[in-house]
Amino acid sequence: MKAIRGATTVAKDCPEDIRDSVRELLDAIFSENSLRLDEVVCIMLSSTADITSFYPAKAAREAGYARFPLYSSTEPSIEGSLSRCIRVMILVERSKAVKHIYLREAKMLRKDLTKTLNIAIDGPAGSGKSTVSRIIAERLGILYLDTGAMYRAIALKCVRENADYADKDVIKNIVDRIDIKVDYCNGAQVTLLDGEDVSAEIRTPQVSLLASYVSAYSFVRTKMVELQRDIAAKFSCVLDGRDIGTNVLPDCEFKFFLTADNKVRAKRRHAENVAKGIDQPFDEVLKEIEERDFHDRNRAVAPLKQASDAQVVDTSDMTIDEVVSLILTKVEEKI
Ligand code: DC
């Protein structure tokens, strides 16, 4: 079950304006969410105390939204709050992400829906950032940008061309020719290398390690950071990486830095590998994670480091749900 939120305002407290606003709001919610009537469990409406001439639930019924329980209530009068406002919450039987709709003056109630919302989640490998970022993006109905996938795609091209990662000119030549794009399919990121979907192929241990090395070159980072900033400017998204809060989006309002004990991180990565059918002994996974951390933390350009204004979250003894709810609470406090 999901809850869709929405709100609108009326110009005057009169039945015609209330009917128009409620119809416009519900029509927009249904069309933007491609919502079917049989998915709706109930519709709850509330209106500010300065709306007295007509029940919003009656307006909903008249607009054809009548097959499910409808409920209307009046909110207490609160000084300084938006006037002549009608709010709605629709409970729906669906699991995919929903879109909240705010119209007219009510747009100002949700800054996140009217301007792009970016959330930066940095941290070392295995800190839980990709799982957490994916869930947060899902819950907020925004995109998840896995920036590591871009560096991995470059590393994959180097593997395919049998390039020596230590030879700067060779890597520069590859990066000059490379075309990396990200696309989305049912909300999931698809990483395209020269037009080919390489989302699965970039997950091998060999590519992981090589990505850490090639990402240290400044010309690699310049090209990828430009792409990341471009996406973040256009779309609300959760970005996970190593330098999002420090370098890609230094002015981002929401920054988190996830950490975890080395052994815990290696255990998580080992379990992920097993699930993917990658057979690599635990000690080797641990060694690789430590090597990658060392390299990511000590490179000259945009190293892995927490931004001074990032909230640090040690996930060693936390469940994914606990990390998600901590971050969502922090974000929702401000939006
Ligand atoms: O998050 P990941 O494990 O998929 O990232 C792979 C490598 O890419 C990582 O070891 C360092 C590099 N990377 C980076 O330098 N900056 C980022 N924003 C993301 C990843």
Side-chain angles (χ1 to χ4, degrees):
M1 178 123 61
K2 285 260 153 66
I4 308 179
R5 299 300 321 261
T8 187
T9 52
V10 289
K12 278 199 282 111
D13 177 23
C14 64
E16 296 71 43
D17 278 12
I18 294 169
R19 282 192 182 102
D20 282 354
S21 284
V22 169
R23 177 191 291 275
E24 181 188 43
L25 177 62
L26 294 178
D27 285 354
I29 291 177
F30 273 73
S31 76
E32 292 287 322
N33 285 284
S34 305
L35 192 60
R36 297 188 319 267
L37 293 177
D38 65 0
E39 288 178 287
V40 177
V41 176
C42 65
I43 299 185
M44 290 171 271
L45 294 124
S46 69
S47 46
T48 45
D50 49 9
I51 294 183
T52 57
S53 67
F54 203 72
Y55 281 120
K58 192 161 185 227
R61 184 169 298 116
E62 286 181 8
Y65 298 99
R67 281 177 44 181
F68 17 75
L70 286 163
Y71 174 80
S72 255
S73 65
T74 304
E75 299 168 16
S77 167
I78 295 171
E79 212 187 308
S81 70
L82 187 60
S83 53
R84 292 185 300 281
C85 179
I86 298 173
R87 292 178 172 82
V88 64
M89 183 157 80
I90 307 184
L91 297 183
V92 295
E93 290 288 9
R94 66 155 58 168
S95 52
K96 70 174 192 227
V98 294
K99 200 165 166 192
H100 308 295
I101 306 288
Y102 287 73
L103 303 177
R104 303 190 185 196
E105 300 293 309
K107 277 186 183 154
M108 65 190 272
L109 294 172
R110 288 289 300 259
K111 280 188 260 159
D112 59 317
L113 300 178
T114 49
K115 64 170 193 174
T116 49
L117 165 74
N118 295 143
I119 301 173
I121 303 190
D122 289 304
S127 55
K129 49 184 195 345
S130 60
T131 311
V132 164
S133 301
R134 193 173 297 115
I135 298 174
I136 289 175
E138 223 289 297
R139 298 261 176 95
L140 293 172
I142 62 180
L143 294 182
Y144 161 49
L145 181 61
D146 170 7
T147 63
M150 298 175 172
Y151 296 99
R152 285 169 178 268
I154 297 181
L156 177 63
K157 182 142 175 134
C158 295
V159 171
R160 286 179 174 179
E161 297 203 3
N162 213 1
D164 174 6
Y165 71 82
D167 189 331
K168 190 174 171 179
D169 292 336
V170 170
I171 305 299
K172 173 93 175 64
N173 178 276
I174 289 180
V175 171
D176 285 344
R177 288 183 279 121
I178 209 165
D179 174 32
I180 295 193
K181 288 202 177 72
V182 296
D183 202 351
Y184 289 87
C185 179
N186 294 328
Q189 178 172 324
V190 174
T191 307
L192 300 166
L193 167 61
D194 299 327
E196 177 194 343
D197 177 359
V198 292
S199 311
E201 223 182 313
I202 55 174
R203 298 289 153 197
T204 63
Q206 183 193 17
V207 170
S208 301
L209 203 51
L210 192 54
S212 175
Y213 280 91
V214 296
S215 63
Y217 287 116
S218 60
F219 50 86
V220 169
R221 304 205 71 81
T222 306
K223 190 160 176 164
M224 293 305 104
V225 168
E226 195 181 313
L227 191 56
Q228 292 157 18
R229 285 186 182 146
D230 221 40
I231 295 171
K234 286 197 200 116
F235 304 102
S236 288
C237 54
V238 181
L239 299 94
D240 95 15
R242 303 290 188 286
D243 63 333
I244 310 299
T246 51
N247 180 45
V248 181
L249 303 174
D251 297 328
C252 183
E253 198 180 351
F254 302 104
K255 296 182 185 177
F256 298 90
F257 190 88
L258 307 194
T259 59
D261 175 78
N262 290 3
K263 286 215 170 77
V264 172
R265 293 190 288 118
K267 233 167 115 181
R268 291 174 183 163
R269 190 46 49 95
H270 184 254
E272 273 170 28
N273 286 351
V274 170
K276 282 189 224 150
I278 298 172
D279 181 21
Q280 196 185 19
F282 174 81
D283 287 347
E284 217 176 274
V285 176
L286 176 62
K287 201 169 135 259
E288 263 182 30
I289 278 210
E290 287 175 343
E291 182 178 339
R292 208 138 73 87
D293 277 1
F294 179 82
H295 204 259
D296 292 344
R297 284 185 195 279
N298 292 290
R299 67 179 174 226
V301 199
L304 164 65
K305 162 165 123 209
Q306 77 198 58
S308 56
D309 52 351
Q311 169 157 4
V312 180
V313 184
D314 184 341
T315 69
S316 306
D317 298 316
M318 290 174 85
T319 63
I320 295 290
D321 277 354
E322 285 170 338
V323 183
V324 166
S325 86
L326 185 147
I327 294 179
L328 275 180
T329 306
K330 289 277 164 205
V331 172
E332 283 168 349
E333 264 168 18
K334 287 209 198 164
I335 59 175

